[in-house]
Amino acid sequence: MVPTLFAGLVDDASLLPPSLIGLPDAVAKHVEHRGAWFAGLLGPLLIPASLISVEMPRRELPVALVGDVAVGAMPIAVEKLRAAGAVVFHLEAPVARRGEDPQPGLSDLRTLAEQDKDLQVYAEIPLSWGLLGALDTVAECRAASLRMAPKFRVGGLAAELFPTPVELAAVICACRDRELPFRLAAGLRHAIRHTDPETGFTHHGFLNVVAAGILAAEGAEVAEVAEVLAATHPLPLVEPCRRRRDDTRPLFVGFGAASVVEPLTELIRLGLINGGPE
């Protein structure tokens, strides 16, 4: 059984680069996972907009659209998914490259959200110049009853793409202060913070982020949240999560994993999810 705290935490990113799996195979595997005892852990199947075609499998499937095409082309992709019977949970798209002004991209996504008010839109905002202003803009959109929220990348192919615990804690607290739920992408390979022996990059742990979101929602300061994000031992993370296992997860909406079984296996090993149906 999947506790409420972890419900919908892991999106199926099996179609995202560098994956070589095709759309029909990814859909079939996702359907299989949806029928498994751990289905409660799953978010939607993430589908790059560039893969959407008239040959979409006709299934009532929870999906999310990843915007790797121009914003103007994404409403067509959404409609193709809906026409194929899919339930489009959300759309996520980058608003700028690092160092660029995120406001024009946010304006484009706001227009999209205004045109389709049933669609949850996640704006992928670079963790660089203009971040706080961008969060203010997203908060203004939400105050205008638009379904917008931020998404952040916390990893990549260079060391500077991995925010420090203090940097990520500041972002989490900034979202908390603006009542913004957020998604994360890239770098969350394991439950606990760790250093990849091949690259030397230190990755954030998704359980660290869950625990950090709990602490931030309780009003903790940046330094306290950063301490949780920096933890490399399970104990200070497992116990708070175990105490809150029946509560809705605050702030941290979820992240994508190429194999949804990997985070499941780690949560089972940590004793946070029972290893089978009850």
Side-chain angles (χ1 to χ4, degrees):
M1 180 176 178
V2 176
T4 303
L5 183 65
F6 302 112
L9 175 64
V10 186
D11 294 341
D12 184 345
S14 58
L15 278 169
L16 301 188
S19 172
L20 299 176
I21 190 173
L23 183 57
D25 289 341
V27 169
K29 180 58 70 173
H30 191 79
V31 170
E32 180 183 326
H33 289 330
R34 285 275 164 196
W37 66 267
F38 56 84
L41 181 67
L42 302 183
L45 174 65
L46 302 179
I47 303 181
S50 59
L51 291 184
I52 305 302
S53 69
V54 292
E55 290 80 27
M56 280 294 301
R58 296 193 63 84
R59 287 183 178 273
E60 293 183 3
L61 195 70
V63 303
L65 189 69
V66 178
D68 60 347
V69 299
V71 171
M74 285 191 278
I76 297 173
V78 171
E79 288 311 310
K80 284 184 177 179
L81 284 169
R82 287 172 173 163
V87 179
V88 183
F89 269 39
H90 70 264
L91 175 152
E92 51 190 69
V95 298
R97 296 185 177 91
R98 285 175 63 87
E100 293 180 345
D101 184 359
Q103 295 296 338
L106 282 171
S107 178
D108 291 341
L109 284 186
R110 176 170 187 154
T111 299
L112 191 154
E114 289 171 338
Q115 293 171 345
D116 189 342
K117 293 191 176 180
D118 292 330
L119 184 64
Q120 172 69 56
V121 175
Y122 285 93
E124 184 180 310
I125 303 170
L127 297 178
S128 60
W129 177 81
L131 171 63
L132 294 181
L135 294 181
D136 287 338
T137 297
V138 175
E140 291 167 6
C141 291
R142 291 175 68 84
S145 300
L146 297 178
R147 300 183 66 198
M148 288 185 65
K151 171 190 169 185
F152 311 106
R153 301 189 80 81
V154 293
L157 300 178
E160 62 267 22
L161 299 179
F162 292 79
T164 67
V166 171
E167 290 168 341
L168 184 54
V171 172
I172 292 173
C173 290
C175 288
R176 182 267 318 276
D177 294 343
R178 293 163 176 79
E179 298 182 349
L180 297 176
F182 63 88
R183 307 187 79 89
L184 296 182
L188 296 169
R189 294 183 179 177
H190 296 291
I192 310 298
R193 181 173 174 82
H194 68 285
T195 299
D196 187 314
E198 294 184 7
T199 64
F201 298 153
T202 301
H203 292 248
H204 290 283
F206 65 82
L207 192 65
N208 294 73
V209 181
V210 171
I214 292 172
L215 197 61
E218 293 173 347
E221 299 295 332
V222 170
E224 298 172 90
V225 177
E227 186 175 347
V228 170
L229 290 171
T232 56
H233 192 279
L235 188 60
L237 308 175
V238 168
E239 290 309 314
C241 289
R242 185 171 285 128
R243 288 196 298 269
R244 296 287 296 269
R245 68 191 309 272
D246 295 326
D247 297 341
T248 301
R249 184 173 60 257
L251 293 173
F252 181 29
V253 179
F255 70 102
S259 170
V260 298
V261 174
E262 291 181 0
L264 170 68
T265 300
E266 295 201 16
L267 289 171
I268 290 172
R269 189 173 68 244
L270 291 167
L272 291 169
I273 290 182
N274 293 328
E278 290 187 346

